[in-house]
Amino acid sequence: MIFNLFKNKEKRASELASYEKAKKALEEKKPNDKMILAEQDTTPPEVLYYLAEDKSSDISLKVAANANTPIQADKILANDEDEEVKHELTRKIARLFPDINEDGKAEICEKALEMIEVLANDQLPSVRKILAEELKSSNSIPKHIALKLATDQVPAVSAAILEYSPLLSDADLKEIIAATTLSGALEAIAKRNILSGDVCEAIAQTLEIPAVTNMLANKNAQIREETLDSIIEEAQNQDITQWHEPLAKRPNLSIRAMKRIATFVASSLVEVMITDNHLDQDQGEELLVRVRERISDETPDSDDKRTLAEQASDLYERGVIDDEFIQNAIKNKQRELVIQALILMSKLPDQSVRTMITKKKGNLVVALAWKAGLSMRTALQMQSDLAHVPPTEFINAKNGVDYPFSNQQLEYDIALFE
């Protein structure tokens, strides 16, 4: 039965192939005939132009997808109220470009470039997104179209072009990196299959954590040694944990870089560096020694803790511990002494103070400083140099000097750890 229906439709399509019969079918307003005419590539262009204004969305959808539809009809469909019609039209127009040959360029440009311009400026992000996805790898479209889509303010539109378009030069990419404030734009660029040293440096200078993370994970990114050095330094000083794994797994790391990375990443990642870079036993042991030294420095033994606790208690009883004392102790990297002082000043349990610091959450460090009776200026230093709070979690002062939260909010944060 289905076969017979198909044969009947095919037969009817053949009958309607002539302009006169197609015209007669339109005059008789038969829905089935109009549908057949809308989807057949043998339908005369004049008939398709007429059908482009049909009130049926189903017919408009077929006309939009028909490669034989004339440009005048496509312009009508570009303003159709039905999103699906515009989507289908966009797919059809965009697919004319990837396999253009020299002989067909003039005809294609004449027929479709104007439509590409129209669709690139469409008010619907979904239309522009489809266009960008279809054209992301094309080197046949005009460059200004690629740039327009690459700088679109909707991330779903710009991302495909930024990641894949061969039309964007290093100069274009660097200009976009310098100018964009759009979330996700730098992340997309960082994933490009070819990423030059200049573009890598531009991404690194932004210090945007997700973008640099993607770049480090991109095996084709040509990251220069000096650029990698600056990333390593930032990862260590600001304790940006998102960069630890991709740093350790970068191919062709120098011994010098591995030694620096080993001073702040997890021991398991140091093992990965040793294995991936095929280090000999002596080289591997040298890296592991650095890990053991770091762990020893960060975790004082019980005798050291007890001594520092007694020292802090004595200083506290004598009224010596204040903002200046805490600031100087942080500056001198006397981490355990600062922690013992904060325990006394805040009257919070030992483990609560340590947890609030190690969580690397700006709001918790600020609440701890407030509870200890310290100034917001000290809270800023505690965030940056004691807890190594990442930029995305950092809490700045209100009016440059005041706590930015209400007492009620600060009490709430403290209550979670009391």
Side-chain angles (χ1 to χ4, degrees), residues 292-310:
R292 288 193 285 270
E293 289 175 348
R294 184 186 82 230
I295 292 173
S296 176
D297 289 341
E298 291 178 353
T299 311
D301 60 32
S302 57
D303 289 339
D304 287 339
K305 281 186 179 180
R306 186 162 49 252
T307 300
L308 288 170
E310 291 171 356

Side-chain angles (χ1 to χ4, degrees), residues 129-166:
K129 180 178 181 293
I130 291 171
L131 189 67
E133 284 288 344
E134 293 288 344
L135 298 178
K136 65 185 181 184
S137 300
S138 174
N139 57 9
S140 302
I141 61 171
K143 184 174 178 177
H144 75 273
I145 294 291
L147 284 171
K148 178 168 184 58
L149 293 171
T151 54
D152 196 285
Q153 290 304 297
V154 177
V157 177
S158 62
I161 299 293
L162 289 172
E163 182 175 350
Y164 295 103
S165 179

Side-chain angles (χ1 to χ4, degrees), residues 207-331:
L207 298 179
E208 185 174 297
I209 292 176
V212 176
T213 303
N214 282 349
M215 182 179 72
L216 290 170
N218 184 347
K219 303 302 183 185
N220 295 319
Q222 299 168 20
I223 305 176
R224 300 191 189 104
E225 191 73 17
E226 57 267 29
T227 303
L228 191 63
D229 283 345
S230 67
I231 295 172
I232 291 172
E233 183 175 357
E234 197 68 26
Q236 181 176 16
N237 292 342
Q238 300 300 328
D239 198 16
I240 304 175
T241 56
Q242 296 94 320
W243 293 353
H244 290 190
E245 183 173 350
L247 268 173
K249 293 183 177 181
R250 279 296 301 172
N252 304 315
L253 285 170
S254 67
I255 289 292
R256 185 174 68 86
M258 284 187 277
K259 286 179 179 178
R260 292 187 64 192
I261 293 169
T263 63
F264 60 88
V265 303
S267 57
S268 59
L269 291 175
V270 175
E271 295 280 4
V272 169
M273 283 196 296
I274 293 171
T275 302
D276 288 355
N277 292 277
H278 308 290
L279 300 185
D280 60 36
Q281 186 173 354
D282 290 342
Q283 290 172 321
E285 181 60 26
E286 186 177 358
L287 293 189
L288 291 173
V289 165
R290 290 173 179 266
V291 175
R292 288 193 285 270
E293 289 175 348
R294 184 186 82 230
I295 292 173
S296 176
D297 289 341
E298 291 178 353
T299 311
D301 60 32
S302 57
D303 289 339
D304 287 339
K305 281 186 179 180
R306 186 162 49 252
T307 300
L308 288 170
E310 291 171 356
Q311 180 183 344
S313 180
D314 179 59
L315 293 170
Y316 181 69
E317 290 295 331
R318 290 194 285 132
V320 174
I321 298 179
D322 55 13
D323 279 284
E324 185 178 359
F325 177 91
I326 295 295
Q327 290 171 18
N328 287 331
I330 292 174
K331 184 178 179 181

Side-chain angles (χ1 to χ4, degrees), residues 92 221 396:
K92 177 187 71 177
N396 287 307

